Amino acid sequence: MEFSAYSCQNFTYNHMRHENFDFDFIEPQTHNGYELIFVKQGKLEYIIEDKIYTVGENDIIFTNPGMLHRINFLNHEEYDRYDILFDKKIIHHEIFDKMPKDSDIFYIKKPKKIEEIFKKMGFTVEDYSEIV
């Protein structure tokens, strides 16, 4: 298992990668901020409140604050994801007032740009952790 993380006030970044793992789910949880997950590899069920989404490669999951959610893994070969938790205070934009109150799963047709953004954040986290 590989895991990298960075957290500061109102913002958390995680990159998680598992190969041939033996657990079936991640416990139900909620967050005070928004959660944005980019699934690079893997197949899972993402359960938000009472909605079940089948999620896989190149899907983006967006969860609003306070929503109970959990993950059931549908295979155990490989799971690779980037995850950002943030408070809307750090991104001042009216888009958050227009977001639907229930969460959706988004499919990205050209994921390379998304992956590049997350990778750059990962390098920033690694650089930061070496400095500290």
Side-chain angles (χ1 to χ4, degrees):
M1 177 176 110
E2 295 175 36
F3 182 78
S4 62
Y6 170 76
S7 187
C8 66
Q9 186 178 2
N10 301 323
F11 180 85
T12 300
Y13 163 83
N14 299 301
H15 178 213
M16 188 180 306
R17 186 166 188 262
H18 303 285
E19 289 183 17
N20 300 314
F21 52 94
D22 61 355
F23 51 92
D24 294 325
F25 61 92
I26 294 177
E27 294 288 336
Q29 55 187 296
T30 62
H31 306 289
N32 292 329
Y34 295 93
E35 182 172 32
L36 181 72
I37 297 174
F38 171 57
V39 179
K40 185 177 173 188
Q41 290 183 319
K43 188 163 181 150
L44 53 109
E45 288 180 334
Y46 197 85
I47 301 152
I48 305 170
E49 301 286 335
D50 59 350
K51 295 180 184 175
I52 300 173
Y53 299 95
T54 300
V55 179
E57 184 176 340
N58 302 327
D59 286 336
I60 287 185
I61 305 161
F62 183 84
T63 307
N64 283 299
M67 298 193 82
L68 183 66
H69 59 281
R70 69 185 183 120
I71 293 174
N72 290 336
F73 294 99
L74 299 177
N75 68 39
H76 296 88
E77 294 166 13
E78 188 166 3
Y79 176 60
D80 192 355
R81 80 157 194 219
Y82 298 91
D83 183 2
I84 298 175
L85 294 163
F86 62 96
D87 189 309
K88 74 176 186 177
K89 294 175 195 171
I90 67 167
I91 303 173
H92 301 285
H93 200 280
E94 66 272 3
I95 193 167
F96 291 103
D97 298 327
K98 296 177 183 176
M99 294 291 289
K101 297 304 174 201
D102 59 340
S103 298
D104 282 314
I105 304 299
F106 303 99
Y107 176 73
I108 304 299
K109 293 182 186 211
K110 296 184 180 180
K112 281 292 179 200
K113 291 290 180 194
I114 299 293
E115 187 177 343
E116 287 172 20
I117 291 168
F118 280 99
K119 280 186 177 179
K120 285 179 183 176
M121 293 178 71
F123 291 126
T124 302
V125 170
E126 290 168 11
D127 293 342
Y128 178 80
S129 62
E130 288 176 11
I131 293 168
V132 175

